[in-house]
């Protein structure tokens, strides 16, 4: 019986089996741009919060030595360790930061406002290779906003040194470092339990040129006891009357969370007008009231496209 079992196991062995290599990435963080400039002459030291981010996902491509076609290794949630069926030298790995769009985990596109991360050999004698049985490990990777292609329409960080972009409904808390998401200031709107909602808005009308490759996003940090909705106001035709449409409902959060809100669908409903406004409504859904807190509000457009 023992001999028969041994023979059976031997028959199941695959002489062609090759152990996979592995790739590991822990996290991606956003740094200040290389020249520490945005578009209006300020830098990260002076304006805290610009590089606040939440990048839970990435797309990974491998470019192998010898001119082989790029291989898409996949879309992953970090941290991850994946098997790679390859025994090859690598010219480069390209990692594209991806986000939970509009706070929805099921929608996870690569975020075109950030630089792709290109991992290459530092000199020709270095080895960058997938080795069967070994792990090619990267702990924290770094990216930055690619300001060559970005138009920054607004960055409201609620700090001391300039006027507020929001209307007077919002309270500007200017000396609250323990409560702010970053820096020492944040904005808040409190809804009493006696009213159903409180509306507030960004005062500026934004001019956003449209091309076939335009991306338009609102980024913000929020900590809220109650839900709030974000709206766009614009005209469907040049010179026509304005209308207001809802963009997204943001759920309450007991901790500060960073959101990337795609305005593209609502913008397209308005036929991509060049002028638009952004407003908000804090909602007292359960009748108990509460406070919406905002920090690091950015409105940006770009014509940059990823692969």
């Amino acid at each position: 019986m023992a001999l028969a079992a041994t023979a059976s196991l031997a028959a199941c062995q695959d002489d062609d089996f090759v152990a996979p290599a592995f790739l590991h990435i822990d996290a991606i963080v956003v740094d200040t741009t290389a020249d520490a400039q945005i578009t209006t002459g300020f830098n990260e030291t002076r304006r805290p919060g610009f590089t606040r981010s939440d990048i839970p996902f990435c797309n990974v491509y491998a470019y192998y030595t010898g001119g082989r076609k790029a291989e898409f290794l996949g879309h992953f949630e970090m941290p991850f360790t994946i098997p790679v069926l390859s025994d090859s030298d690598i010219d480069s790995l390209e990692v594209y930061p991806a986000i939970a769009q509009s706070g929805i985990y099921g929608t996870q596109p690569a975020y075109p406002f950030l630089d792709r991360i290109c991992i290459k050999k530092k000199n020709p004698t270095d080895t960058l290779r997938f080795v069967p049985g070994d792990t090619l490990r990267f702990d924290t990777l770094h990216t930055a906003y690619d300001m060559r292609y970005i138009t920054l329409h607004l960055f409201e960080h609620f700090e001391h040194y300039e006027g507020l972009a929001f209307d007077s409904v919002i309270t500007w808390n200017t000396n609250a470092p323990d409560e702010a998401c970053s820096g020492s200031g944040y904005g808040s709107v409190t809804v009493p339990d006696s009213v159903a909602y409180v509306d507030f808005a960004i005062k500026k009308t934004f001019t956003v040129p449209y091309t076939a490759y335009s991306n338009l996003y609102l980024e913000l940090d929020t900590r809220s006891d109650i839900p709030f909705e974000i709206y766009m106001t614009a005209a469907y035709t040049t010179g026509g009357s304005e209308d207001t449409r809802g963009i997204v409902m943001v759920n309450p959060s007991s901790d500060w969370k960073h959101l990337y809100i795609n305005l593209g669908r609502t913008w397209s409903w308005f036929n991509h007008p060049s002028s638009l406004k952004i407003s908000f409504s804090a909602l007292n859904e359960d009748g108990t009231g509460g406070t919406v807190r905002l920090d690091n509000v950015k409105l940006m457009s770009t014509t940059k496209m990823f692969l």
Side-chain angles (χ1 to χ4, degrees), residues 12 18 57 94 96 120 130 135 149 160 211 251 257 274:
C12 291
V18 177
F57 314 104
E94 291 190 356
Y96 293 78
K120 291 185 174 184
F130 286 131
T135 300
Y149 303 102
H160 293 281
T211 73
N251 291 322
K257 62 180 179 180
S274 59

Side-chain angles (χ1 to χ4, degrees), residues 63-76:
Y63 291 79
Y64 295 103
T65 302
R68 289 165 51 189
K69 186 178 179 180
E71 180 182 358
F72 176 52
L73 299 184
H75 174 85
F76 307 105

